[in-house]
Amino acid sequence: MAERRSPAVADHYTSAVIETCEGLSIFPLRGVSRADIRSGLRVTHHRGRTVIAYTVDHDARLVSSLGVLYGGQDFEQALAEGGDT
């Protein structure tokens, strides 16, 4: 993004993605369950094309980010059980 637009635009977008991730600590179940891909997996979107994949451990009160994927990346394949994450 920094190469196509500008470092300032890339920095703003990255900061916004981080804010979305941090917001999961307040509303961890706002994403959609994708247990069909991986046990405990949830996904939410940031501005439409960015997928944030994470899990929630209710007992530990912990949200763990598994990945931030953009655009046409195959997040289902990337996050499948036994796949590389």
Side-chain angles (χ1 to χ4, degrees):
M1 183 176 286
E3 293 174 5
R4 290 186 184 173
R5 303 256 170 105
S6 75
V9 171
D11 184 56
H12 178 74
Y13 191 84
T14 301
S15 295
V17 170
I18 291 169
E19 285 181 28
T20 299
C21 291
E22 289 173 341
L24 294 172
S25 67
I26 299 168
F27 298 108
L29 300 181
R30 78 176 185 193
V32 176
S33 173
R34 290 304 308 263
D36 58 310
I37 298 172
R38 181 186 196 116
S39 178
L41 176 65
R42 300 188 76 81
V43 297
T44 192
H45 293 82
H46 174 76
R47 296 189 184 166
R49 293 184 49 92
T50 302
V51 175
I52 300 169
Y54 65 100
T55 60
V56 178
D57 182 333
H58 298 283
D59 295 331
R61 299 176 51 112
L62 179 68
V63 176
S64 299
S65 174
L66 300 178
V68 177
L69 300 102
Y70 183 76
Q73 292 179 290
D74 185 356
F75 77 91
E76 293 179 356
Q77 177 67 30
L79 297 168
E81 291 282 0
D84 293 329
T85 55

